[in-house]
Amino acid sequence: MGAGRMFVLLLVAAVLASSSANALKVIGPGLPRTGTATMKTALEMLGFGPCYHMLVILEGGHMQDMDALLNVSQGLPADFQRMYRYFGSVADFPMGMYYKELM
């Protein structure tokens, strides 16, 4: 996915996002090693933070979320509202794979 297309997706997600203080404002459906850490930093600088990124899972004790995401890949439901209740945005794998469920 090109940078221009990613920007459009981010812009559309931001416009469509709920105005609730606890709702995701931006969904960055990027793959690993494509600038998602930079996007995480930028989103947080722009006020769309904190941003849920794979770094949050690895460093922040959110490994239980990986189990929930694996369940989704097998057709089971996941409580995305609980997982992302303290985050203003998401970026990177695996969250980008579930952009439709997050919108």
Side-chain angles (χ1 to χ4, degrees), residues 20-55:
S20 169
N22 295 334
L24 290 175
K25 304 286 188 273
V26 180
I27 301 167
L31 295 173
R33 309 301 310 154
T34 60
T36 57
T38 302
M39 182 166 48
K40 173 188 181 305
T41 301
L43 288 169
E44 290 173 346
M45 289 174 69
L46 292 169
F48 294 108
C51 181
Y52 194 97
H53 185 275
M54 182 57 92
L55 292 171

Side-chain angles (χ1 to χ4, degrees), residues 3-22:
R5 191 169 193 186
M6 177 66 77
F7 175 76
V8 170
L9 282 173
L10 289 172
L11 183 60
V12 169
V15 169
L16 294 176
S18 167
S19 61
S20 169
N22 295 334

Side-chain angles (χ1 to χ4, degrees), residues 76-99:
L76 300 171
D79 188 357
F80 287 113
Q81 289 184 346
R82 181 203 56 81
M83 290 170 63
Y84 304 128
R85 69 183 175 269
Y86 301 115
F87 296 90
S89 57
V90 295
D92 199 25
F93 177 85
M95 292 64 68
M97 294 182 61
Y98 304 106
Y99 68 93

Side-chain angles (χ1 to χ4, degrees), residues 56-71:
V56 171
I57 293 173
L58 297 175
E59 298 172 355
H62 289 266
M63 288 303 291
Q64 73 277 6
D65 292 349
M66 288 302 294
D67 292 332
L69 293 169
L70 289 173
N71 288 339

